[in-house]
Amino acid sequence: MKIAVLSGKGGTGKTLVSVNLASVSNNGTYIDCDVEEPNGHLFFKPEEVKRKEISVKIPVVNHDKCNGCRKCVDFCKFNALAFIGNKVKVFETVCHSCGGCNLLCPEMAIAEKDKVIGVVETGSSEGISIITGILNTGEETGVPIIKEILKMQDVYSPVTIIDCPPGSSCMVMESIKDADYCVLVAEPTLFGSHNLSMVYELVKLFEKPFGCVLNKCIDGENPSEDFCKEHGIPVIESIPFDINLGTINSNGDIITRKDKVYFQLFTNLLNRIKEEVDL
């Protein structure tokens, strides 16, 4: 079972939920797809870490063969190629590595080179497999890294927790496309309800079963809870605003390994999700 954890912005508690669901999963797998700012490994502190570089293909133009027909420039929908000074120029940062220019060049003037865009780290922590994608600074997209790390998940793992990037970008869509269930994490504020609406529309578009976890809950108004009621979104758990939880979390410790109350809370949450998937 693959569970994707999303939030409309950073700081809502998405990694808190992801890490602790993985921690109580009993030999599960935690995948950090938030490749621009991965932080789940800071809590798990995995052992026997192995690193693998991730590369993409970038076009290289042989100007001696190029006749200036501009077919490659016209083909590229991402404006990664331009004809400047009677030469084809490649803008590597916006290239999506589709390989189309290489295929259609009538003069065979375009080859490809490997460009390293990041790394994948794998390790383990108390029986949990940890897979972390890390995008190099300055790169435009982490989709190739996300595709790679989702291929690496252990097919025999009973539960895989996917810690998605915040928001609703292409990287989030790539992260959830094969998920069996989506957990939407939201804060109890007006801003939180707005961000909840973004990921709500996304999971509806993908027709994924989903539920909401309300984090940092306090007495009084809760616009995110009101949004859930208005749109029929099941609230599968409410996590209170707790200074002790915040202290443990800020120290880089996993709350379910430190506090029996939260171990039970996240165990119940995982069981609730399993029941929802089996329905």
Side-chain angles (χ1 to χ4, degrees):
M1 179 176 64
K2 301 172 189 173
I3 302 169
V5 184
L6 306 84
S7 65
K9 71 172 187 67
T12 60
K14 172 177 58 64
T15 296
L16 169 74
V17 173
S18 303
V19 165
N20 285 282
L21 279 176
S23 179
V24 301
S25 65
N26 191 18
N27 298 321
T29 300
Y30 170 83
I31 300 179
D32 199 341
C33 287
D34 189 2
V35 297
E36 291 180 328
E37 296 180 303
N39 60 350
H41 65 288
L42 301 177
F43 297 92
F44 281 112
K45 303 170 183 63
E47 300 175 343
E48 299 180 3
V49 175
K50 297 179 181 178
R51 291 168 60 91
K52 174 186 177 183
E53 289 187 338
I54 305 299
S55 302
V56 294
K57 297 292 185 180
I58 298 294
V60 179
V61 181
N62 185 331
H63 298 294
D64 293 332
K65 289 184 177 182
C66 178
N67 66 1
C69 70
R70 307 191 190 192
K71 287 184 179 179
C72 58
V73 176
D74 294 336
F75 170 82
C76 184
K77 302 304 179 185
F78 303 104
N79 297 316
L81 301 173
F83 197 72
I84 303 172
N86 294 321
K87 289 184 177 181
V88 175
K89 180 172 177 58
V90 179
F91 298 97
E92 294 186 5
T93 56
V94 293
C95 176
H96 280 56
S97 305
C98 70
C101 57
N102 167 264
L103 293 173
L104 63 81
C105 179
E107 302 299 319
M108 301 181 67
I110 299 180
E112 291 180 323
K113 68 176 182 179
D114 287 330
K115 177 189 176 185
V116 176
I117 63 167
V119 299
V120 172
E121 294 184 346
T122 58
S124 62
S125 173
E126 297 189 15
I128 308 298
S129 298
I130 313 299
I131 305 174
T132 304
I134 305 171
L135 182 68
N136 287 346
T137 302
E139 295 297 336
E140 292 294 316
T141 178
V143 169
I145 296 179
I146 293 172
K147 287 182 176 180
E148 183 66 24
I149 58 180
L150 291 176
K151 286 185 208 172
M152 297 171 67
Q153 59 190 300
D154 187 351
V155 294
Y156 300 105
S157 177
V159 176
T160 296
I161 306 297
I162 303 169
D163 189 349
C164 299
S168 54
S169 66
C170 295
M171 292 194 293
V172 181
M173 290 187 271
E174 189 66 37
S175 301
I176 72 169
K177 68 178 186 180
D178 293 324
D180 299 305
Y181 190 88
C182 292
V183 177
L184 316 182
V185 183
E187 296 174 326
T189 63
L190 195 59
F191 192 28
S193 67
H194 168 74
N195 288 299
L196 174 59
S197 69
M198 294 166 51
V199 287
Y200 166 65
E201 293 297 334
L202 182 63
V203 295
K204 278 206 312 177
L205 179 66
F206 276 75
E207 298 182 343
K208 297 290 184 181
F210 61 91
C212 182
V213 171
L214 299 175
N215 190 29
K216 308 174 189 175
C217 293
I218 57 176
D219 294 334
E221 294 183 3
N222 190 329
S224 293
E225 185 176 21
D226 295 339
F227 182 88
C228 290
K229 290 178 181 177
E230 180 182 347
H231 293 85
I233 303 171
V235 176
I236 54 177
E237 190 57 76
S238 295
I239 302 173
F241 179 82
D242 183 347
I243 293 177
N244 181 52
L245 186 156
T247 300
I248 294 173
N249 200 54
S250 63
N251 287 334
D253 293 321
I254 298 175
I255 188 70
T256 52
R257 295 179 179 177
K258 296 287 184 177
D259 190 304
K260 292 182 180 180
V261 171
Y262 283 102
F263 176 86
Q264 192 60 52
L265 183 149
F266 280 98
T267 299
N268 292 341
L269 173 59
L270 182 59
N271 290 335
R272 169 82 183 268
I273 294 170
K274 289 179 179 178
E275 291 173 0
E276 294 283 340
V277 172
D278 291 338
L279 290 178

